[in-house]
Amino acid sequence: MQVLFVTSEAHPLIKTGGLADVSGALPQALKSLDAFKGEVKILLPGYSAVLDQIITPKKIANVEVLGQTCTLIMGKMPKIYSKQDSATTVDVIVIENAALYERPGGPYSDEDGVDWEDNALRFAVLSRVASLLCSEATPYAAWRPMLVHCNDWQTGLVPAYMKLVDHSTVKSIFSIHNLAFQGSFDASYLSMLALPVAHFNINGFEYHDQISFLKAGLFYADKLSTVSPTYADEIQTPAYGFGFEGLLQTRQNDLVGILNGIDAHDWNPAEDEHLPKNYTASRIAGKKAVKKHLQQQLNLKETADAPLLGVVSRLTHQKGLDLLPEIIPQIVAQGCQLAILGSGDSVLEAHFRALAMQHPTQVSVTVGYNESLSHNIMAGSDMFIMPSRFEPCGLNQLYGMAYGTPPIVSSTGGLADSVVDTNKITLANKTATGFVINNVSATALLSGITSAITSWRNKTMWRSIQRNGMQLDLSWEPSAQKYLLLYQALLLAK
Ligand code: ADP
């Protein structure tokens, strides 16, 4: 089984969100399965951060696509944790083209958060190279994929190029990590992207008169997957489908929801190298030390008696965190502390900053992206807030459960599939792992937070909620097994 895993970000090389966590961990987890006989290689654009960090890079080919001259470089993924054996990390093929990918700023936007103007070309080149690697005209004949696994809109053109241009027999899977990001571009790009005009219609990659990379993936891939069973159902309805619900309904027999896992070394409080102290479910004392350290680091009042609520998130409408500012005064009045890390909506960032100024010993806000602080907030907080309006899978609630930091979540997508609300029954049968609010409103969020705080004050109850979450197997292995079955079924299909 030779699998090409195409993605626009992969931890630890480059990350803006959950897609990077999945792309860093799933190929590695597949490689580690006894039942997986073969190889998986990741294909990534050659952003500066990627070129700087790949291990043992070696030029393997030159390739000319869409008028762009690129060099393909193969190396290995860097280790995620120091005890990892570097010989076992996954291979990564990087597309080097300085003009397209080596820029200051992020993978999709400049330093001010404005999308790169040539994103259509940048990700069409990624997709075109992937398709070529699966074709007879491959620039790297030493390795031939049997299956290509595409992720989100940036790779949506891969199945389109495979079917319409290269007429490839290699099978394709397109995974939806977030339907909100669609990669829609003006029809005038058709010739630059070498897309056949004959398929620029409803039965092709056209969507509302634009070229939709996302629709191309949804339409042309042999199989579709998304990152939780509930999200797989939700996206077939108008409320969550962003207009693609009709197409997704027609493809429902090809669509499967597989919940993400978490990297059992990177996100494990017993081994986490970002923490001042490690801990386990049976030796939880270390968590108190992390909380103390976090309070010092964030200039919060150093006390074990204040429940500390954590937030690590993109600050966007999706995440529901715009509901938080109006209830912060009530949360603070209950003696709580808040540690917020995130970036996105500038109005919301300013709102949080103002609240931190008003309550400096109780509210801390860090605007930006900080991997190490995110681990420390996850471990040092008592509970974690995630009131998303929709959430394909969500990883932070999984990290929260693994870290003994019960999450307070809305009942949607992967949150609904992973967090069990605390009540008499779930406490008795030891399945309670968090607090689920049934609608996304400030009132519901405040009530969820209040019940979490009440439970926190009952130390025996809290320990049992923590233990329930920490004992779950949230590792990638069971999910990687499901992807393997999907791959096998696809390869057997005619
Ligand atoms: P999404 O992919 O929608 O942003 P997920 O919950 O699936 O949400 O994954 C988010 C990932 O990004 C998690 O690993 C989270 O810890 C990380 N993350 C989000 N914002 C930040 C930040 N400001 N600093 C560090 N890590 C962040």
Side-chain angles (χ1 to χ4, degrees):
M1 166 112 43
Q2 308 295 331
V3 181
L4 182 66
F5 190 93
V6 191
T7 181
S8 57
E9 49 182 283
H11 180 68
L13 292 173
I14 178 100
K15 169 168 167 179
T16 70
L19 172 60
D21 288 346
V22 176
S23 304
L26 172 59
Q28 192 68 47
L30 278 164
K31 185 178 154 101
S32 311
L33 290 180
D34 288 339
F36 183 80
K37 310 275 182 245
E39 225 178 328
V40 49
K41 294 189 198 292
I42 299 172
L43 179 70
L44 259 182
Y47 316 113
S48 310
V50 170
L51 293 169
D52 289 348
Q53 294 177 77
I54 50 166
I55 309 297
T56 59
K58 209 175 79 191
K59 183 178 150 181
I60 55 165
N62 290 320
V63 58
E64 172 101 17
V65 289
L66 310 180
Q68 307 295 314
T69 306
C70 307
T71 304
L72 300 187
I73 300 193
M74 188 155 77
K76 285 197 158 287
M77 289 292 281
K79 296 197 282 186
I80 295 184
Y81 55 99
S82 58
K83 284 190 199 135
Q84 192 173 11
D85 177 359
S86 44
T88 64
T89 65
V90 171
D91 284 348
V92 53
I93 301 175
V94 175
I95 306 169
E96 188 183 38
N97 178 311
L100 287 179
Y101 303 125
E102 292 169 51
R103 303 172 178 182
Y108 318 120
S109 53
D110 65 17
E111 286 156 313
D112 298 323
V114 178
D115 280 354
W116 299 114
E117 237 175 89
D118 55 351
N119 272 346
L121 181 63
R122 297 170 75 236
F123 295 108
V125 166
L126 170 67
S127 302
R128 191 75 200 91
V129 170
S131 178
L132 267 186
L133 285 168
C134 299
S135 77
E136 292 300 317
T138 176
Y140 181 55
W143 185 74
R144 304 295 293 272
M146 302 160 74
L147 189 149
V148 58
H149 188 157
C150 311
N151 295 279
D152 269 355
W153 73 264
Q154 294 87 348
T155 63
L157 290 186
V158 180
Y161 286 133
M162 288 170 73
K163 291 248 157 71
L164 305 176
V165 181
D166 294 318
H167 308 290
S168 175
T169 52
V170 169
K171 302 282 171 114
S172 60
I173 293 175
F174 182 78
S175 287
I176 304 158
H177 299 264
N178 195 333
L179 209 59
F181 303 115
Q182 304 176 354
S184 299
F185 300 98
D186 197 82
S188 59
Y189 283 105
L190 276 170
S191 77
M192 183 201 277
L193 306 186
L195 288 167
V197 183
H199 299 271
F200 183 66
N201 58 46
I202 191 161
N203 291 312
F205 48 79
E206 178 263 349
Y207 185 66
H208 291 288
D209 294 328
Q210 292 202 297
I211 304 167
S212 166
F213 282 33
L214 175 68
K215 186 180 170 204
L218 300 179
F219 192 84
Y220 292 106
D222 295 311
K223 285 269 178 217
L224 304 176
S225 78
T226 189
V227 287
S228 68
T230 295
Y231 194 59
D233 290 340
E234 287 174 342
I235 56 180
Q236 295 178 49
T237 67
Y240 296 90
F242 288 95
F244 293 98
E245 59 275 8
L247 173 56
L248 287 162
Q249 282 161 23
T250 64
R251 298 222 54 192
Q252 60 180 281
N253 293 335
D254 294 321
L255 170 65
V256 56
I258 302 176
L259 198 70
N260 287 334
I262 66 179
D263 188 299
H265 297 283
D266 193 21
W267 286 99
N268 179 347
E271 295 180 28
D272 191 326
E273 292 170 2
H274 298 286
L275 306 182
K277 196 129 192 115
N278 292 111
Y279 60 92
T280 61
S282 54
R283 296 175 56 180
I284 197 89
K287 185 169 169 70
K288 292 201 178 106
V290 183
K291 176 172 176 180
K292 189 169 172 198
H293 183 261
L294 183 66
Q295 287 171 326
Q296 280 167 359
Q297 186 185 355
L298 300 178
N299 295 317
L300 295 170
K301 185 174 174 208
E302 227 182 283
T303 166
D305 294 334
L308 175 50
L309 281 62
V311 171
V312 178
S313 185
R314 289 185 293 117
L315 301 177
T316 62
H317 186 72
Q318 177 199 340
K319 300 292 179 180
L321 291 163
D322 49 303
L323 303 171
L324 200 50
E326 72 175 275
I327 58 171
I328 283 182
Q330 283 124 297
I331 299 174
V332 164
Q334 296 187 49
C336 295
Q337 297 182 340
L338 271 151
I340 301 169
L341 166 65
S343 63
D345 181 339
S346 53
V347 174
L348 192 52
E349 288 176 5
H351 238 112
F352 282 137
R353 279 201 179 106
L355 283 156
M357 302 251 286
Q358 270 173 37
H359 308 281
T361 59
Q362 283 178 277
V363 180
S364 148
V365 173
T366 310
V367 171
Y369 189 89
N370 186 328
E371 188 72 23
S372 182
L373 181 58
S374 77
H375 284 247
N376 276 277
I377 290 182
M378 197 51 79
S381 303
D382 294 298
M383 52 199 86
F384 196 86
I385 306 176
M386 239 177 136
S388 305
R389 292 192 168 84
F390 66 95
E391 194 59 77
C393 176
L395 290 167
N396 280 318
Q397 84 282 10
L398 303 178
Y399 301 150
M401 292 189 285
Y403 277 66
T405 310
I408 301 159
V409 302
S410 48
S411 179
T412 185
L415 301 175
D417 289 336
S418 57
V419 180
V420 177
D421 189 36
T422 297
N423 58 43
K424 272 194 191 130
I425 298 168
T426 58
L427 280 169
N429 65 18
K430 297 194 184 339
T431 55
T433 53
F435 300 85
V436 180
I437 57 174
N438 284 322
N439 68 74
V440 180
S441 68
T443 318
L445 180 58
L446 182 60
S447 126
I449 290 174
T450 307
S451 31
I453 294 167
T454 310
S455 304
W456 182 81
R457 297 203 191 280
N458 177 336
K459 296 297 170 209
T460 318
M461 185 195 295
W462 196 254
R463 283 289 292 121
S464 107
I465 302 169
Q466 283 181 307
R467 218 177 293 117
N468 294 343
M470 294 178 87
Q471 284 168 353
L472 293 175
D473 177 8
L474 299 171
S475 74
W476 263 105
E477 194 183 326
S479 302
Q481 298 272 14
K482 292 186 183 144
Y483 278 102
L484 179 57
L485 288 176
L486 180 65
Y487 292 175
Q488 286 166 338
L490 186 53
L491 290 177
L492 285 175
K494 286 275 172 285

